Amino acid sequence: MNIKNNLANIISIGRVFFAFGAVALLYEKTTWAFLIALILTVIAFALDGVDGYVARKFNQASDLGSVLDIMGDRIVEMTYWITFAVLGWINILFPLVCVVRAFVTDGIRSVALSKGFTAFGSKSMQSSKIGNFICASKFMRISYAVAKVLAFFLLIIVNTPGMELWKYTDTLHTITMIFAWAAIIFCVVRAIPVVAESPKLFNKD
């Protein structure tokens, strides 16, 4: 494989391993392990923007890249939500909502891909302006990413060993859960146009 010509795709896949490393460290139960996990979390989410930049900069945008980008997003966010639920930091409903949403939207997008459409870009399956704004606009994608990274970052911080007093800071805990709920709401809202515009994909004509 030509690494130079597939750099964007390599970055999309590589960010998954930063997320895996981060959640693995959360089981070490030491202050340093959690702090390193925080750094890896920031890197994992920063690379989500880097892969798109590289794809545009070096003309590496492709249908495969679109699929890998979404796949990387799913793996990363599910890894964190599920781990946090297993550790008892959040309610199990958080990962369940994300899993259901992922199956529904990605199932529809797989049909769209078979018909020449992609989730984002010039061949986006979203034909309405509101659908494009909610699903594909830079504002919505960045807002969703910021809500997720802040929720994950703060969840790790308030549970960092050696900083237990932070757990009992009601304000910090409230802010953390606000971002967690914001991320889930973004997750659901951004799925609505995908479902709403899906019937056209199944028309026989």
Side-chain angles (χ1 to χ4, degrees), residues 7-16 47 51-52 65 68-69 72-73:
L7 184 57
N9 293 341
I10 292 171
I11 293 172
S12 295
I13 297 172
R15 59 190 294 258
V16 171
L47 290 178
D51 61 359
L68 290 178
D69 182 43
D73 287 345

Side-chain angles (χ1 to χ4, degrees), residues 100-165:
V100 171
R101 184 261 195 185
F103 275 119
V104 172
T105 57
D106 293 350
I108 292 171
R109 282 170 172 165
S110 67
V111 175
L113 187 63
S114 71
K115 300 196 175 190
F117 298 103
T118 56
F120 313 112
S122 59
K123 296 188 289 183
S124 172
M125 64 170 285
Q126 307 302 146
S127 56
S128 68
K129 288 185 177 180
I130 185 66
N132 262 305
F133 174 76
I134 293 174
C135 295
S137 71
K138 191 173 290 187
F139 171 80
M140 289 296 287
R141 295 180 72 184
I142 292 176
S143 297
Y144 181 32
V146 169
K148 280 190 295 185
V149 73
L150 286 176
F152 298 166
F153 193 84
L154 289 171
L155 278 165
I156 295 173
I157 285 180
V158 299
N159 289 282
T160 298
M163 301 181 179
E164 286 84 356
L165 288 177

Side-chain angles (χ1 to χ4, degrees), residues 135-201:
C135 295
S137 71
K138 191 173 290 187
F139 171 80
M140 289 296 287
R141 295 180 72 184
I142 292 176
S143 297
Y144 181 32
V146 169
K148 280 190 295 185
V149 73
L150 286 176
F152 298 166
F153 193 84
L154 289 171
L155 278 165
I156 295 173
I157 285 180
V158 299
N159 289 282
T160 298
M163 301 181 179
E164 286 84 356
L165 288 177
W166 289 19
K167 288 190 199 178
Y168 306 104
T169 304
D170 291 337
T171 301
L172 183 59
H173 183 267
T174 300
I175 292 172
T176 300
M177 294 313 298
I178 287 174
F179 280 114
W181 278 107
I184 289 297
I185 292 171
F186 267 115
C187 177
V188 174
V189 168
R190 294 183 75 241
I192 293 174
V194 177
V195 175
E197 296 189 39
S198 64
K200 65 186 180 186
L201 299 173

Side-chain angles (χ1 to χ4, degrees), residues 19-34:
F20 286 169
V23 299
L25 287 168
L26 298 180
Y27 286 88
E28 292 300 313
K29 304 296 182 184
T30 66
T31 303
W32 278 109
F34 273 56

